[in-house]
Amino acid sequence: MTEHVNTGFERGTDGPKVILAGIDGSESSLRAAAYAAGLARRQNALLALVYVQPVMAAGASLGAPVSEATEEIAAGIVTEIREAAERLKGIFDVRWEFHTFRGDPYAGLVSAAEELTADAVVVGASEQAGHRIVGSVAVRLVKAGRWPVTVVP
């Protein structure tokens, strides 16, 4: 009888090393970030918090300073996360990074997951009623079938 000796780790078999949490400032996305932080802590993984900054089509803004507004939103979310992380520093000992990607939420999260070589993706459930019918970002990520996806209510 031959004994098989595993000489190394395979991706996906030794636990996640990068857990990506998509955040947009909504209550469900902040719960998703907290859940992902717990996973990252238990798995000794890096928590990658990702905000996808929307990009409006040229002319759609009718001259409004949209990029400045979304920059302010991103800055506000970064501040919120940093403050929360400082408060939790003694409770959750987790390595984390914050990243901003541009685009629609689905494409931005896919780009982030690929670029950061995410092993798992955690997102909040959509709080928009229409998404229950036509499909949310979370459903699209699950259907992509490229990473384990956890949807936090």
Side-chain angles (χ1 to χ4, degrees), residues 69-90:
T70 56
E71 292 289 340
E72 285 177 30
I73 292 167
I77 289 173
V78 172
T79 301
E80 265 184 61
I81 291 164
R82 289 196 192 287
E83 288 171 358
E86 288 300 316
R87 286 194 304 270
L88 297 175
K89 204 175 251 182

Side-chain angles (χ1 to χ4, degrees), residues 33-55:
Y35 181 84
L39 287 177
R41 181 182 55 79
R42 288 187 297 279
Q43 297 284 342
N44 193 27
L46 173 68
L47 172 63
L49 299 168
V50 174
Y51 169 64
V52 179
Q53 187 172 332
V55 176

Side-chain angles (χ1 to χ4, degrees), residues 45 102 130 153:
R102 292 181 185 267

